[in-house]
């Protein structure tokens, strides 16, 4: 697997809450957060290991062999969330890789974060 993106940021919720939201991102209710673009699909959870790790399938049908590894670390009641973008084949070109990294940042560190009130 080739890594083509990685980022860590803190979320103001404990790991078990963040993990549940990542494991079921389209859950209905007050904190629904996964708002996909037309070229994206809901990911499948491939490797669950609550509350510290899970792996998503690709959100991009044009990159079906990619995976998104999500690592969660407790930081005193908050969560340090890291996403790692992996490709089983060739890395995407710079433009596509930049788009995917930007979307992951938006989805996790803006859209999901705002559901926690910050």
């Amino acid at each position: 697997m080739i890594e083509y993106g990685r980022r860590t940021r803190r979320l103001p919720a404990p790991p078990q809450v963040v993990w549940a939201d990542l494991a079921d991102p389209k859950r209905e209710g007050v904190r629904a957060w996964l708002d996909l673009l037309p070229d994206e699909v809901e990911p499948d959870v491939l490797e669950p290991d609550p509350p510290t790790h899970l792996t998503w399938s690709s959100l991009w049908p044009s990159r079906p062999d990619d995976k998104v590894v999500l690592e969660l670390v407790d930081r005193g009641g908050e969560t340090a969330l890291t996403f790692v973008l992996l490709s089983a084949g060739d890395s995407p070109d710079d433009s596509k890789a930049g788009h995917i990294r930007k979307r992951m940042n938006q989805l996790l560190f803006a859209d999901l974060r705002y559901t926690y009130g910050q």
Side-chain angles (χ1 to χ4, degrees), residues 3-42:
E3 181 179 319
Y4 66 91
R6 173 185 294 261
R7 185 162 205 186
T8 303
R9 293 286 181 264
R10 284 193 182 202
L11 296 177
Q16 61 271 22
V17 171
V18 175
W19 194 94
D21 289 336
L22 295 170
D24 189 7
K26 291 294 270 189
R27 179 178 49 207
E28 296 296 321
V30 177
R31 292 192 303 107
W33 62 274
L34 188 64
D35 188 20
L36 299 172
L37 297 177
D39 70 332
E40 298 170 342
V41 296
E42 183 175 345

Side-chain angles (χ1 to χ4, degrees), residues 1-6 39 58-68 83-104:
M1 297 293 274
I2 299 168
E3 181 179 319
Y4 66 91
R6 173 185 294 261
D39 70 332
S58 177
L59 284 75
W60 297 274
S62 65
R63 307 268 324 152
D65 296 328
D66 288 5
K67 293 183 180 181
V68 180
F83 73 78
V84 181
L85 301 169
L86 300 173
S87 174
D90 293 332
S91 292
D93 63 38
D94 289 344
S95 175
K96 184 70 171 181
H99 169 73
I100 291 171
R101 287 190 298 262
K102 181 177 179 180
R103 282 297 294 153
M104 290 305 301

Side-chain angles (χ1 to χ4, degrees), residues 48-116:
D49 184 15
T52 60
H53 175 270
L54 69 149
T55 300
W56 279 353
S57 62
S58 177
L59 284 75
W60 297 274
S62 65
R63 307 268 324 152
D65 296 328
D66 288 5
K67 293 183 180 181
V68 180
V69 176
L70 301 159
E71 301 165 346
L72 300 85
V73 177
D74 189 338
R75 294 287 188 233
E78 293 187 336
T79 302
L81 175 63
T82 300
F83 73 78
V84 181
L85 301 169
L86 300 173
S87 174
D90 293 332
S91 292
D93 63 38
D94 289 344
S95 175
K96 184 70 171 181
H99 169 73
I100 291 171
R101 287 190 298 262
K102 181 177 179 180
R103 282 297 294 153
M104 290 305 301
N105 279 308
Q106 175 67 42
L107 291 170
L108 299 175
F109 304 129
D111 298 350
L112 178 58
R113 169 186 286 286
Y114 297 149
T115 69
Y116 304 129

